[in-house]
Amino acid sequence: MYNIVMNYHITTFGCQMNVHESEKLAGILERQGFLPCENIEDADIIVFNTCAIREGAQDRAVGNIGALKGLKKKFPNKIIAVCGCMTQQSQVADRLQRTFPFIDIIFGTKNFDKFEEFIKKVQIERENNKKIRILEIEQEDKIVEDLPIVRSSGKNFWVNIIYGCNNFCSYCIVPYVRGRERSREREAILSEIEEILKNNREKIKITLLGQNVNSYGKDRYQDYGFANLLEDICKLEGDFELGFMTSHPKDITDDVIHQIATQPKIVKELHLPVQSGSNKILKAMNRKYTVESYLEKVEKLRALVPNIRLTTDIIVGFPGETEEDFKQTCNLVERVGYSGIFGFMFSPREGTVAAKMENQIPLEIKNKRVNILLNLEKEIQKKLA
Ligand code: 5AD
Ligand code: SF4
């Protein structure tokens, strides 16, 4: 008797959260004996972990999936699975299933734990010469612990601390596809990090992940929050740097700033997405801070952590954004002197408040503004260098 090696290939779209979740998908697949392979054509199981944050990300995933039609026709035994933020939108999942009859499994962001079961179901039906197609999107918010993880980012180790988002920024699809905030138990986080440190004696970087890390603990503890967690992690023995993302400016507290300033292990860089420099637009975005209160936090950070590197996300062309609003964004960018800017053109997402707003901005204007912003970033980099 001899074993046939089965290979898997995962394509990941989107943010660090997805990159890390693909490490969990890999863990689930390797637990079943699958081995990774470089080329998608060689894989017996092909997975797409998708993103929905902007239309472009969604289109790229759809394009990549569509390109597999021929391969699947030639090799019908391959299993094709699609999951992540795109499929968590049920109308999109339905559309995918109709458009691409060759997809075998569609699941969302909340039922990774069932991936193994889905694969087994497809395999059993195949053995019986039947074809089944699975579409299962979990709506209930939950935390799944103890999934195996195949860490694949070298010296970078990602650790989830909180899932979901309660903020409902008016442009953002995340609260719809990731559900409400739920913090992991601090013990689970600490023991995951201890385990990483035990297995890696040379210097590593640990990055805590959450849509809004500053909300950590609010849903679980009365008097234990993100600053406490940072403090406890820094007490762990080992040679590591600690980073985290993403921070909502309204929620970053003095306690957290104090931790950044005083803990040598915490990296002196912070991603603090401002999104816009116009109070009118910030209000329409439902960001719940003003330019002034944002700048106050920046000043506090700079006073306590003088060498801090700040980075940001900016959306241009939000509905109703005038030249004046955009100028205010440019002014803010210059004033803060960010070390890095991620500039995005507003992309209307089905089901969000901003998608239905009047005064949508034409693509040419969004394009022009994003280019101005990126040139401005280059100028700032030259000055900082
Ligand atoms: N259009 C454009 N950019 C968006 N972002 C989130 N939703 C949208 C959207 N609908 C950006 C924000 C966020 C980053 C992860 O993506 O700037 O901080
Ligand atoms: Fe989206 Fe706002 Fe939540 Fe960030 S804080 S994930 S931008 S809703």
Side-chain angles (χ1 to χ4, degrees):
M1 197 175 134
Y2 52 92
N3 278 330
I4 302 170
V5 177
M6 302 279 274
N7 291 314
Y8 73 88
H9 185 280
I10 304 176
T11 311
T12 307
F13 299 89
C15 65
Q16 272 346 301
M17 183 74 79
N18 262 18
V19 171
H20 181 45
E21 280 174 351
S22 286
E23 295 181 333
K24 295 182 184 171
L25 293 168
I28 295 170
L29 289 162
E30 295 199 12
R31 188 169 65 185
Q32 293 174 80
F34 288 97
L35 292 177
C37 65
E38 288 271 315
N39 293 322
I40 205 163
E41 293 82 15
D42 300 331
D44 302 290
I45 173 145
I46 298 171
V47 187
F48 293 95
N49 189 9
T50 62
C51 171
I53 196 96
R54 282 168 292 276
E55 204 176 338
Q58 201 157 295
D59 289 349
R60 265 195 303 282
V62 171
N64 273 254
I65 298 165
L68 284 188
K69 190 175 171 191
L71 186 72
K72 175 81 175 184
K73 205 167 181 184
K74 220 161 140 193
F75 303 102
N77 276 337
K78 290 186 189 294
I79 297 178
I80 299 181
V82 187
C83 65
C85 291
M86 178 169 94
T87 49
Q88 186 67 35
Q89 310 162 90
S90 51
Q91 79 283 10
V92 179
D94 287 340
R95 227 182 292 147
L96 268 183
Q97 203 183 31
R98 264 183 279 124
T99 320
F100 301 125
F102 55 83
I103 302 177
D104 300 287
I105 305 169
I106 297 180
F107 59 111
T109 56
K110 303 177 192 172
N111 53 352
F112 274 41
D113 51 325
K114 291 179 93 180
F115 186 34
E116 182 164 351
E117 181 189 319
F118 297 151
I119 295 171
K120 292 219 164 101
K121 264 193 197 161
V122 171
Q123 285 172 326
I124 290 168
E125 295 294 310
R126 291 254 170 97
E127 278 163 23
N128 297 327
N129 280 323
K130 285 192 203 138
K131 178 177 155 83
I132 61 160
R133 302 181 69 205
I134 294 171
L135 194 169
E136 216 179 295
I137 313 292
E138 169 83 48
Q139 291 307 332
E140 192 199 334
D141 292 343
K142 56 182 182 180
I143 295 186
V144 182
E145 287 291 353
D146 299 325
L147 288 178
I149 299 173
V150 175
R151 302 209 179 254
S152 58
S153 301
K155 302 240 175 287
N156 289 310
F157 293 77
W158 317 105
V159 176
N160 287 123
I161 63 165
I162 180 166
Y163 300 95
C165 181
N166 290 355
N167 286 314
F168 288 93
C169 299
S170 61
Y171 50 80
C172 189
I173 193 80
V174 168
Y176 302 90
V177 294
R178 293 267 176 190
R180 295 296 70 72
E181 286 172 2
R182 49 226 189 263
S183 304
R184 285 179 72 195
E185 262 183 36
R186 61 186 160 212
E187 291 79 10
I189 298 167
L190 290 168
S191 63
E192 181 176 333
I193 296 176
E194 275 176 319
E195 185 69 22
I196 294 173
L197 294 171
K198 203 173 79 194
N199 296 327
N200 296 277
R201 302 285 175 185
E202 72 291 11
K203 187 161 186 145
I204 58 168
K205 176 162 184 195
I206 293 172
T207 306
L208 308 176
L209 293 179
Q211 256 77 40
N212 183 12
V213 288
N214 292 280
S215 284
Y216 177 77
K218 286 183 190 162
D219 57 309
R220 189 179 270 284
Y221 305 112
Q222 264 184 354
D223 53 3
Y224 189 93
F226 185 50
N228 305 96
L229 183 70
L230 287 174
E231 194 172 4
D232 281 345
I233 295 172
C234 288
K235 280 187 203 143
L236 298 177
E237 286 223 359
D239 194 6
F240 67 96
E241 290 189 304
L242 184 63
F244 49 85
M245 62 178 142
T246 294
S247 294
H248 194 303
K250 80 174 165 51
D251 293 322
I252 188 150
T253 60
D254 289 354
D255 289 348
V256 171
I257 296 176
H258 176 74
Q259 289 299 320
I260 302 172
T262 56
Q263 297 283 0
K265 283 176 174 159
I266 299 184
V267 289
K268 307 305 172 209
E269 55 191 33
L270 187 68
H271 186 57
L272 202 59
V274 68
Q275 312 297 359
S276 169
S278 147
N279 281 332
K280 179 191 95 188
I281 297 294
L282 287 174
K283 190 148 199 284
M285 286 178 164
N286 195 28
R287 290 290 286 177
K288 302 195 184 93
Y289 55 81
T290 58
V291 171
E292 293 72 25
S293 65
Y294 180 90
L295 284 172
E296 237 172 72
K297 297 221 171 163
V298 168
E299 271 155 31
K300 218 180 255 177
L301 273 159
R302 289 245 158 93
L304 291 172
V305 198
N307 54 343
I308 195 155
R309 294 180 73 251
L310 291 174
T311 55
T312 198
D313 293 341
I314 306 253
I315 298 178
V316 302
F318 185 84
E321 184 189 67
T322 59
E323 282 298 323
E324 177 54 31
D325 293 317
F326 176 63
K327 218 184 267 164
Q328 290 178 7
T329 297
C330 295
N331 290 343
L332 177 81
V333 161
E334 278 185 297
R335 181 148 174 206
V336 177
Y338 292 104
S339 305
I341 297 171
F342 299 89
F344 305 109
M345 290 189 273
F346 169 72
S347 168
R349 310 309 295 129
E350 206 175 328
T352 62
V353 172
K356 293 191 272 308
M357 285 179 180
E358 285 173 13
N359 296 322
Q360 297 284 332
I361 307 294
L363 184 64
E364 314 86 76
I365 295 186
K366 289 185 200 175
N367 223 323
K368 193 185 91 197
R369 289 183 186 164
V370 88
N371 283 325
I372 294 174
L373 192 65
L374 295 178
N375 283 330
L376 190 59
E377 187 198 10
K378 275 191 216 143
E379 292 298 313
I380 295 172
Q381 299 315 313
K382 268 194 229 152
K383 275 191 216 148
L384 288 177

